[in-house]
Amino acid sequence: MRAIVLKIDGNVNQLNYTELPLPQLKECEVLVQTKAIGINPIDLKTKNEKGIYLMLQEENPLILGWELSGVVTQSRSEKFAEGDEVFGLVNFPGHGKTYAEYVACPAAHLAIKPSNPSHFEAAATSLAALTAYQSLVHLGGLKSGQKILIHAASGGVGHFAVQIAKHLGAFVVGTSSEKNREFVLGLGADKHLDYKTNALDKEHKDYDMVLDMVGGNTIDRSIPLIKKEGVLISIPSGKNDAVTDKASKNGIKGLKFTVKSDEDDIKVIADYLQQGILKPHISKIIEFDAMEEAHAQIASGHTVGKVIVRL
Ligand SMILES: NC(=O)c1ccc[n+]([C@@H]2O[C@H](COP(=O)([O-])OP(=O)(O)OC[C@H]3O[C@@H](n4cnc5c(N)ncnc54)[C@H](OP(=O)(O)O)[C@@H]3O)[C@@H](O)[C@H]2O)c1
């Protein structure tokens, strides 16, 4: 099968196309023929020896990628049979290996793809959607009637977070630049703020929760907007080291978060997709042969919704 292997040669970190044998299945795994892969900032961070590279550096071959949608071609699990269409977040945090034509996936990390969404849409609704769901629901406990500020509401995680927070009954304010205002409001946000102006700094201090996908200075700008005993959840690792200290000095909770592959949660996401509660926005579909183009798009820091790679 064709796969993309990370090669580190001196200072050059390259995505190399190579032929590999089909993965051998362990108990409770299924072999998935990949139809679509979702690309995320963690792919680039790990390629550049950040992200979860430390965890994977001994792996040989090291294959990036964690989101996929595809068709089961072999099964060592009672959950799925040959021919089932499945999607999910594979082995995160760990070795996902989805940049390949075939991927051995723990069955517990997958759900049946609902019939309406395409493989592109299902792949798009894995890592970023689970991040939004797990952080808002499990970590933050967002409730109906609460007021939440979602940073980078036009991005991969943010555009799902807006939809989930609205579904939960929250009042949602989303940030992005002006060019994405209509997109963010179209997702259902009640209000939009352009982070390039001082609109954010003039906001009321009445937020129950902030979900931060930017880190750094965005944390400092957000803390004064949160009610006492409110919560700031910051997800970009490496840019949020001081969030807990900074928040506690201001009488609020500052939390970091890492998404995890999870059987129950991916079923909820499948259900949200089926019911149309979550609608992924795909801004680009790129061929497998042009993975560097997909990485360049994510590296811009200005992707709207998701970038998907087609096999
Ligand atoms: N800890 C975890 O488990 C976890 C999981 C998922 C993601 N993450 C991290 O979370 C971060 C976001 O991921 P993502 O996939 O959502 O990224 P993304 O899709 O690349 O985000 C792009 C979006 O960010 C917006 N943006 C850029 N700078 C901004 C700013 N200063 N304020 C508000 N919006 C801004 C852009 O809007 P404009 O073009 O309008 O500027 C763009 O639409 C990444 O660092 C990623 O690694 C962590």
Side-chain angles (χ1 to χ4, degrees):
M1 67 165 188
R2 286 185 85 211
I4 302 176
V5 168
L6 179 64
K7 279 272 182 306
I8 299 184
D9 195 358
N11 289 331
V12 186
N13 296 18
Q14 274 181 342
L15 299 177
N16 278 9
Y17 289 83
T18 187
E19 280 294 326
L20 292 176
L22 282 186
Q24 295 296 307
L25 292 187
K26 296 185 196 129
E27 194 65 26
C28 302
E29 285 187 340
V30 295
L31 189 66
V32 177
Q33 182 182 15
T34 312
K35 298 289 185 190
I37 310 168
I39 312 301
N40 292 284
I42 187 68
D43 305 22
L44 281 69
K45 292 178 185 177
T46 306
K47 178 172 82 174
N48 293 321
E49 298 168 66
K50 296 184 179 129
I52 62 167
Y53 179 76
L54 269 184
M55 191 187 270
L56 302 180
Q57 59 184 340
E58 303 299 330
E59 299 280 348
N60 186 14
L62 198 172
I63 302 174
L64 297 175
W66 290 271
E67 288 186 314
L68 100 179
S69 184
V71 180
V72 173
T73 58
Q74 288 175 32
S75 179
R76 290 191 65 189
S77 158
E78 286 176 1
K79 288 186 206 299
F80 302 112
E82 215 177 299
D84 283 348
E85 296 192 310
V86 292
F87 78 106
L89 171 64
V90 183
N91 280 326
F92 198 89
H95 202 177
K97 306 188 204 179
T98 65
Y99 287 10
E101 287 178 322
Y102 291 86
V103 184
C105 306
H109 296 173
L110 303 174
I112 290 284
K113 180 183 83 61
S115 53
N116 278 345
S118 63
H119 282 295
F120 304 132
E121 290 170 316
T125 317
S126 304
L127 186 146
L130 281 169
T131 302
Y133 178 76
Q134 292 177 351
S135 58
L136 293 178
V137 174
H138 296 323
L139 188 60
L142 186 66
K143 305 261 178 323
S144 179
Q146 288 190 322
K147 187 171 173 184
I148 181 169
L149 175 64
I150 297 175
H151 287 298
S154 48
V157 177
H159 90 296
F160 288 124
V162 170
Q163 296 176 60
I164 293 171
K166 282 310 297 175
H167 173 66
L168 295 172
F171 183 89
V172 178
V173 180
T175 72
S176 74
S177 66
E178 184 60 26
K179 72 177 159 48
N180 290 320
R181 171 187 294 272
E182 291 311 318
F183 175 73
V184 171
L185 294 174
L187 297 167
D190 297 285
K191 183 174 168 184
H192 172 269
L193 297 172
D194 177 357
Y195 66 87
K196 293 187 176 175
T197 69
N198 63 357
L200 186 59
D201 312 297
K202 290 200 244 157
E203 270 294 276
H204 299 292
K205 302 174 191 305
D206 60 353
Y207 284 92
D208 298 287
M209 193 182 298
V210 171
L211 183 64
D212 162 43
M213 265 71 76
V214 182
N217 176 254
T218 298
I219 293 174
D220 302 312
R221 291 177 83 186
S222 301
I223 284 174
L225 309 181
I226 303 172
K227 281 178 182 170
K228 290 289 168 220
E229 296 177 17
V231 56
L232 191 164
I233 300 175
S234 182
I235 69 158
S237 58
K239 295 185 195 160
N240 62 2
D241 296 335
V243 65
T244 308
D245 283 352
K246 284 182 176 175
S248 68
K249 280 185 193 139
N250 286 272
I252 61 170
K253 247 195 271 177
L255 304 172
K256 297 181 201 173
F257 172 76
T258 301
V259 66
K260 290 179 187 60
S261 301
D262 184 274
E263 183 167 19
D264 293 335
D265 292 345
I266 197 68
K267 280 189 194 147
V268 174
I269 298 297
D271 191 44
Y272 279 4
L273 261 176
Q274 168 111 36
Q275 292 186 52
I277 292 165
L278 276 185
K279 295 193 183 81
H281 175 84
I282 298 176
S283 53
K284 269 194 181 167
I285 298 177
I286 293 172
E287 300 302 325
F288 188 58
D289 282 335
M291 185 59 85
E292 290 287 6
E293 188 187 331
H295 276 218
Q297 171 56 47
I298 298 288
S300 75
H302 295 288
T303 299
V304 177
K306 292 285 301 175
V307 172
I308 294 301
V309 163
R310 177 199 340 244
L311 282 94

